[in-house]
Amino acid sequence: MKGIIASPGVAIAKAFVLSHVEVVIDEALAKDTAAEVEKFRAAVAQTEDQLNNIIAITEERLSANEADVFRAHLMMLADPMFEETVLDKIENSSYNAGKAVSEATAEVAAMLASLDDEYLKERAADIKDVGGRVLDNILGIVRTSLSDLNEPVVVFANDLTPSDTATMNLDYVKGFATDIGGRTSHTSILARIIGIPAIVGTGDITSRVKHGETVVLDAVDCEVISNPSSEELAVYEAKLEKYLEEKRELEKVRFLPAETLDGHHVEVVANIASPADVKGAVEGGAEGCGLFRTEFLYMNRPDLPSEDEQFEAYKSVLVGMEGKPVVIRTLDIGGDKAAESIQFPAEMNPFLGWRAIRMYFDRLDIIKPQLRALLRAGIYGKLHVMFPMVISAEEIYKMKDILEECKAELRAEGVEFDENLSIGIMVETPAAALNAHLLAEIVEFFSIGTNDLTQYVLAVDRGNEMIADLYQPLHPAVIRAMKMVIEASHASGKWSGVCGETAGDVKGALVLLGLGLDEFSMSAGSIPAVKNMIRKANYAEVKKGIEECLTMYTTEEVNAKLDEMLKDILGK
């Protein structure tokens, strides 16, 4: 079936189809707005109590790190913008409390869902979780709790909130599948942390499975089997045991070096989006951080983050990484990512417009505090800073001039900072890839953003479902572009990393290994499988195989060759 494997594995149990509660919003205007305001505030207080309870449960079952998801929910609940939007709808439009919360939640969620960054896009589910909980409390709706189950089940639902996932009874929930959702949602992330099989975004699985029937959830080959025969059960029980054995083997390599059989060493590091992700990265076996997205500091707030606020965030990541290298990307906003505190112009094509590094030169009030904070934080660890959406040497020269201004200011103020901050760029535009041999002379490193590089090299909108089949990260042209970048960095004695999705996919990582990539950055959950592949590979043979791929005409040929190579390396 169609769907996205959010967390791999196999589960066999009875189906528990979570009924969808239809929320009916009263359209009637409020007769007593003061009473509606009070109803809203009472629901917020009740929601706060519920979230604090979920935090306690999550800390007990998982860890304080995973509970940070719900601390973020508390911050969303207390967000002045959310409260002001609701109160404005009640007091100035005479909306009842339920309708005001429903519309305010939908507006914020729609804004987040429209973003191109997958991680930020999936935060729409978090605001829906928070707003939905407030709405339930206003309407007096009590939903089925997955913490009250008393027999083994596979859960099927239209969607599961992060709080559903964190509080489910793990003694009985063996896996889940949903109609909607993405791999980078907190629900999916929690499923991987918990270690239960999960398939999301199936479209209609709840209408195809009957409550109480025996099912097999195969989150390895993306299958659900209803009422399996005894022969089928035997097959999937064997598959489950094999998967668990492979998982135990992967756990053994989590903290081992990523070194091939013939002694070629690479770094396997983690992508993170907030300081709360550091612990999970370290525990997942990351040898550093290859991409720290700083956008979270700017989102869902009416003002810009202060220099001190940014400094504390960057410092906490560097300290948490305990001397391991950390690559922090400066603010990558604009295009699809909006921030209330930054006024963006109306543009015909914002993805190719005033965004990322192009914005910095017009808004020194934004970039200088960030650079000052990064310079100050640099003394607490091994910090590398990279600039996004670069197309020219001129942009790099300008950024270096601004950086020197910041250094001069800090010196004059007597503030300690990193005098030798390592500066690199994200290579995500064809211009940067084509000019990599020149740009490598004026930066310390490259980090290839394969998501956007694929999009721009192929001229394919990766958010357009009608042409989704054209978005091919292993297209021969994309592989050649990455080869060009890696070779250019090495020719100048510099290093290259990849922080896009390609690095976290075993097949993509195989290509990058053969191209000579130095640093592989991915979500923490992908690290064991990628390390395992690297440790079982022979670098010389992989390099020879990828050179053969570079002579191929089609993506199909490339994939077939890679499948053959992986079978030889992994034995499956």
Side-chain angles (χ1 to χ4, degrees):
M1 65 178 183
K2 66 178 182 178
I4 301 163
I5 296 174
S7 179
V10 178
I12 304 170
K14 287 184 179 180
F16 184 93
V17 182
L18 196 62
S19 58
H20 180 63
V21 178
E22 192 68 37
V23 178
V24 179
I25 302 298
D26 187 355
E27 298 291 331
L29 295 178
K31 295 179 181 178
D32 184 348
T33 56
E36 296 302 312
V37 168
E38 183 56 36
K39 191 182 297 183
F40 165 64
R41 294 198 188 284
V44 167
Q46 187 178 354
T47 302
E48 185 177 353
D49 289 342
Q50 292 167 344
L51 287 172
N52 280 320
N53 184 50
I54 292 169
I55 288 170
I57 293 171
T58 307
E59 286 182 336
E60 181 182 347
R61 290 184 176 179
L62 301 174
S63 73
N65 188 55
E66 275 66 65
D68 282 341
V69 170
F70 304 106
R71 292 190 183 91
H73 284 199
L74 279 175
M75 291 173 65
M76 291 178 186
L77 184 66
D79 184 354
M81 182 177 70
F82 177 66
E83 180 182 21
E84 288 166 11
T85 303
V86 173
L87 294 180
D88 176 67
K89 292 180 183 299
I90 294 173
E91 295 171 343
N92 297 323
S93 300
S94 295
Y95 282 12
N96 61 67
K99 185 177 180 181
V101 168
S102 177
E103 293 209 359
T105 301
E107 288 171 11
V108 178
M111 182 273 289
L112 289 169
S114 68
L115 305 182
D116 190 47
D117 185 295
E118 285 302 314
Y119 186 89
L120 294 173
K121 179 187 290 187
E122 294 294 355
R123 300 294 70 77
D126 293 292
I127 194 65
K128 286 179 181 177
D129 191 356
V130 175
R133 190 174 289 278
V134 175
L135 184 58
D136 284 351
N137 289 331
I138 288 172
L139 301 178
I141 295 173
V142 179
R143 297 179 185 267
T144 302
S145 174
L146 297 179
S147 62
D148 298 333
L149 298 168
N150 55 15
E151 66 175 334
V153 297
V154 173
V155 174
F156 294 90
N158 177 253
D159 194 14
L160 289 175
T161 65
S163 51
D164 287 331
T165 311
T167 58
M168 61 177 51
N169 189 328
L170 299 180
D171 290 332
Y172 295 118
V173 178
K174 301 303 179 184
F176 67 81
T178 63
D179 294 332
I180 64 176
R183 194 175 188 278
T184 52
S185 70
H186 272 140
T187 296
S188 296
I189 292 168
L190 285 169
R192 290 193 289 277
I193 291 167
I194 293 167
I196 63 171
I199 301 175
V200 299
T202 65
D204 61 353
I205 191 62
T206 52
S207 66
R208 297 163 62 187
V209 172
K210 293 180 180 177
H211 186 84
E213 67 182 359
T214 300
V215 293
V216 173
L217 177 74
D218 180 355
V220 175
D221 292 319
C222 208
E223 294 179 334
V224 173
I225 295 88
S226 300
N227 290 317
S229 65
S230 56
E231 291 81 7
E232 286 174 321
L233 271 178
V235 168
Y236 282 97
E237 283 167 352
K239 186 172 186 177
L240 172 58
E241 183 51 43
K242 182 182 178 184
Y243 174 78
L244 292 174
E245 177 57 33
E246 290 174 351
K247 191 175 180 182
R248 287 190 286 269
E249 288 298 311
L250 287 180
E251 282 299 302
K252 294 178 183 177
V253 306
R254 187 166 40 135
F255 295 113
L256 296 177
E259 188 172 291
T260 63
L261 295 172
D262 50 346
H264 180 73
H265 180 82
V266 298
E267 297 292 324
V268 176
V269 297
N271 295 337
I272 65 174
S274 77
D277 296 336
V278 171
K279 185 180 178 183
V282 173
E283 291 178 349
E287 298 166 303
C289 168
L291 170 63
F292 175 37
R293 304 174 177 93
T294 59
E295 290 74 47
F296 83 99
L297 287 161
Y298 297 79
M299 306 297 286
N300 299 320
R301 57 186 297 166
D303 59 336
L304 292 169
S306 68
E307 177 184 323
D308 285 342
E309 183 182 349
Q310 294 187 67
F311 164 71
E312 291 296 339
Y314 307 148
K315 175 185 172 182
S316 69
V317 171
L318 286 160
V319 171
M321 278 293 173
E322 301 174 339
K324 297 180 179 72
V326 173
V327 179
I328 297 182
R329 181 178 70 190
T330 52
L331 180 63
D332 187 5
I333 208 158
D336 62 316
K337 285 175 273 191
E340 187 184 353
S341 58
I342 303 173
Q343 187 67 40
F344 288 93
E347 298 178 286
M348 288 291 289
N349 193 338
F351 293 97
L352 303 180
W354 191 73
R355 54 168 292 202
I357 195 170
R358 301 167 183 186
M359 179 187 70
Y360 302 165
F361 309 121
D362 297 319
R363 292 297 304 270
L364 294 180
D365 61 314
I366 294 174
I367 192 58
K368 286 188 72 173
Q370 182 168 42
L371 292 177
R372 284 171 56 99
L374 288 164
L375 285 164
R376 290 167 57 194
I379 63 175
Y380 292 94
K382 193 174 180 181
L383 176 60
H384 306 279
V385 173
M386 64 177 174
F387 307 128
M389 199 65 182
V390 169
I391 63 169
S392 68
E394 289 90 340
E395 291 169 328
I396 299 171
Y397 291 141
K398 285 182 183 179
M399 287 307 303
K400 287 189 171 183
D401 287 343
I402 296 170
L403 191 66
E404 289 304 317
E405 288 177 22
C406 293
K407 289 181 179 180
E409 291 171 2
L410 291 171
R411 281 192 207 99
E413 295 165 16
V415 177
E416 191 177 3
F417 66 92
D418 183 1
E419 284 277 6
N420 301 303
L421 193 66
S422 172
I423 297 298
I425 63 169
M426 279 194 79
V427 178
E428 51 194 330
T429 66
L434 290 168
N435 263 349
H437 62 296
L438 300 175
L439 301 182
E441 297 292 331
I442 56 175
V443 297
E444 279 69 58
F445 67 94
F446 290 144
S447 183
I448 304 171
T450 54
N451 301 351
D452 273 343
L453 184 63
T454 300
Q455 175 172 244
Y456 295 137
V457 166
L458 301 182
V460 173
D461 177 0
R462 60 192 175 106
N464 187 333
E465 293 184 4
M466 291 186 68
I467 53 173
D469 59 320
L470 297 179
Y471 182 81
Q472 299 170 337
L474 299 181
H475 187 288
V478 179
I479 296 176
R480 291 189 181 96
M482 294 190 294
K483 178 176 186 286
M484 187 186 306
V485 174
I486 295 166
E487 288 183 344
S489 68
H490 292 171
S492 295
K494 311 296 173 60
W495 60 272
S496 282
V498 160
C499 57
E501 291 298 317
T502 303
D505 172 69
V506 172
K507 191 182 289 188
L510 180 64
V511 171
L512 296 169
L513 179 65
L515 293 177
L517 188 76
D518 306 291
E519 183 208 65
F520 297 63
S521 194
M522 62 201 70
S523 65
S526 301
I527 289 173
V530 171
K531 276 191 177 182
N532 181 59
M533 181 276 291
I534 292 170
R535 290 179 59 82
K536 289 183 176 180
N538 180 290
Y539 178 59
E541 292 177 3
V542 171
K543 195 172 182 181
K544 183 179 178 182
I546 300 308
E547 285 172 358
E548 187 179 332
C549 287
L550 287 164
T551 67
M552 295 174 176
Y553 289 79
T554 69
T555 308
E556 288 76 15
E557 289 177 287
V558 171
N559 277 312
K561 176 63 179 178
L562 295 175
D563 287 338
E564 177 188 319
M565 292 172 67
L566 283 175
K567 188 173 182 180
D568 289 340
I569 293 168
L570 300 175
K572 59 177 181 177

